[in-house]
């Protein structure tokens, strides 16, 4: 992941979290050994930019490259073997690779981060966040977003979204904190029955200890986060920085510069104070009755 703002287009590679960890560790090992980017590049007969991209997980880490770099850094045989084994694991395709025909590369990166995070915070002004969508709601949202999609591809997109939500049922499930606008509940997606079922799911998940759902009411007026949707990721691995993802029509931005991340985190904190848990549940129940 590049420093600061990096945008991803449809052809971007999707680094796994393991690959990001390995890249960071290689960077630290190079710096500990006092080896410059240029010297590391000469060892592999590549450019210094390639070494930088390897360390930022922007390209795949070939085991032979990893071993040669560790030799250059003075690592012993055991350490080299450990890094190579790590590289083999990091290069294994994620489970979402099977959906590469219907998922752009820039979103594959998102699924990787989502799968590896220990904390997820989302802000949603338009739709229920993907991890909490019901099958019917997900299908209606995706059908609207991909109006020319065939039934088979649409079904695969829905299946991917549902498989993503399974991470909330893992023993080591991440913490999910959702802040959504009341407008989400008024946007009739799929019809009243679909909306009622969706709100039931939100109420059900909001009772779980690792899931929080805050609904910002219309009465809150203008506020700091009234902008594009975003997701904040925090990881268990100390090598990885916090990352914020923000989506646009034709791609996405992944932000890891501290000032950007802190700004989004503070916005999420401020928005969460605009409605208590009790107020959010009351609003969800009121809207459920309206759809009945």
């Amino acid at each position: 992941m590049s420093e600061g703002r990096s945008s991803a287009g449809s052809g971007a590679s999707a680094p796994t979290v393991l690959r990001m960890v390995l890249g960071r560790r290689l960077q630290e090992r190079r710096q500990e050994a006092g080896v410059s980017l240029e010297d590391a590049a000469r060892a592999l007969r590549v450019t210094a930019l390639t070494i930088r991209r390897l360390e930022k997980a922007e390209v795949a880490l070939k085991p032979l490259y990893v071993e040669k770099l560790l030799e250059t850094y003075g690592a012993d045989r055991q350490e080299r073997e450990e890094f190579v084994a790590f590289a083999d694991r990091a290069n294994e395709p994620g489970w979402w690779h099977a959906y590469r025909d219907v998922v752009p590369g820039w979103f594959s990166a998102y699924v990787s981060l989502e799968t590896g995070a220990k904390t997820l915070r989302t802000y949603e002004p338009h739709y229920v966040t993907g991890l909490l969508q019901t099958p019917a709601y997900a299908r209606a949202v995706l059908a609207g977003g991909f109006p020319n999609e065939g039934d088979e591809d649409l079904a695969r997109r829905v299946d991917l979204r549902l498989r993503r939500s399974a991470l909330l049922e893992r023993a080591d499930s991440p913490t999910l904190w959702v802040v959504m606008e009341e407008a989400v509940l008024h946007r009739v997606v799929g019809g009243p029955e679909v909306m009622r079922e969706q709100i039931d799911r939100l109420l059900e998940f909001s009772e779980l200890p690792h899931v929080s759902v805050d609904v910002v009411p219309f009465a809150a007026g203008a506020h700091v986060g009234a902008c594009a949707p975003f997701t904040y990721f925090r990881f268990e691995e100390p090598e990885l920085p916090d990352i914020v993802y923000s989506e646009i029509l034709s791609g996405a931005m992944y932000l890891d510069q501290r000032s950007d991340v802190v700004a989004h985190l503070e916005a999420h904190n401020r928005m969460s104070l605009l409605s208590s848990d009790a107020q959010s549940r009351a609003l969800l129940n009121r809207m459920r009755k309206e759809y009945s």
Side-chain angles (χ1 to χ4, degrees):
M1 197 67 62
S2 62
E3 283 299 321
R5 298 173 176 82
S6 63
S7 61
S10 60
S13 175
T16 66
V17 169
L18 283 180
R19 203 163 86 200
M20 293 167 64
V21 171
L22 179 59
R24 294 271 174 162
R25 290 183 180 174
L26 282 171
Q27 182 183 35
E28 291 172 0
R29 193 65 181 80
R30 175 179 61 77
Q31 292 170 342
E32 289 171 0
V35 177
S36 68
L37 284 170
E38 290 73 20
D39 288 340
R42 277 191 286 272
L44 294 186
R45 297 184 179 180
V46 296
T47 66
L49 177 59
T50 298
I51 299 298
R52 174 65 72 185
R53 295 187 68 199
L54 288 170
E55 293 178 349
K56 295 298 182 183
E58 294 175 355
V59 293
L61 287 154
K62 298 178 181 179
L64 287 176
Y65 277 12
V66 172
E67 185 168 19
K68 184 62 177 178
L69 288 174
L70 267 293
E71 284 182 10
T72 304
Y73 305 157
D76 60 27
R77 180 177 179 180
Q78 180 178 348
E79 185 178 8
R80 295 199 305 270
E81 289 177 350
E82 289 174 354
F83 267 78
V84 169
F86 201 141
D88 286 334
R89 289 173 53 208
N91 287 324
E92 292 176 359
W95 61 264
W96 55 90
H97 187 69
Y99 296 88
R100 62 190 180 280
D101 56 323
V102 293
V103 177
W106 51 265
F107 192 72
S108 294
Y110 179 96
V111 181
S112 173
L113 297 175
E114 181 181 72
T115 302
K118 75 169 184 178
T119 300
L120 296 161
R121 291 190 181 202
T122 70
Y123 168 64
E124 290 288 350
H126 305 304
Y127 299 105
V128 172
T129 190
L131 289 177
L132 298 182
Q133 291 180 5
T134 65
Y137 186 96
R139 183 175 182 84
V141 169
L142 290 167
F146 299 92
N148 299 319
E149 194 87 303
D151 289 342
E152 183 177 344
D153 286 345
L154 183 61
R156 284 176 55 72
R157 291 185 187 275
V158 173
D159 187 53
L160 169 63
R161 186 157 295 188
L162 299 181
R163 286 197 62 185
R164 285 171 49 210
S165 67
L167 71 86
L168 295 176
E169 301 172 6
R170 297 184 329 208
D172 61 342
S173 174
T175 297
L176 173 64
W177 187 352
V178 178
V179 173
M180 68 173 67
E181 298 286 349
E182 181 180 345
V184 172
L185 304 178
H186 289 269
R187 187 185 300 276
V188 184
V189 175
E193 184 176 346
V194 171
M195 291 300 298
R196 187 169 62 250
E197 180 187 40
Q198 179 60 71
I199 292 173
D200 281 341
R201 183 173 176 85
L202 291 173
L203 287 165
E204 175 187 350
F205 271 83
S206 67
E207 294 179 353
L208 298 177
H210 60 290
V211 177
S212 296
V213 178
D214 293 332
V215 183
V216 179
F218 285 140
H223 59 80
V224 66
C227 57
F230 65 83
T231 302
Y232 160 94
F233 303 95
R234 173 164 287 178
F235 305 91
E236 195 79 50
E237 296 81 1
E239 297 91 347
L240 298 183
D242 297 346
I243 294 173
V244 169
Y245 164 93
S246 183
E247 190 171 318
I248 57 177
L249 184 62
S250 58
M253 294 179 65
Y254 293 87
L255 312 175
D256 60 10
Q257 190 171 17
R258 181 165 177 76
S259 59
D260 291 326
V261 172
V262 168
H264 284 81
L265 186 58
E266 289 181 349
H268 198 276
N269 286 336
R270 288 177 181 273
M271 288 186 289
S272 70
L273 297 176
L274 297 175
S275 180
S276 67
D277 290 344
Q279 290 172 325
S280 294
R281 289 189 64 82
L283 182 52
L284 285 167
N285 278 303
R286 176 168 64 80
M287 290 303 301
R288 187 191 185 284
K289 289 180 181 178
E290 289 195 18
Y291 287 117
S292 297

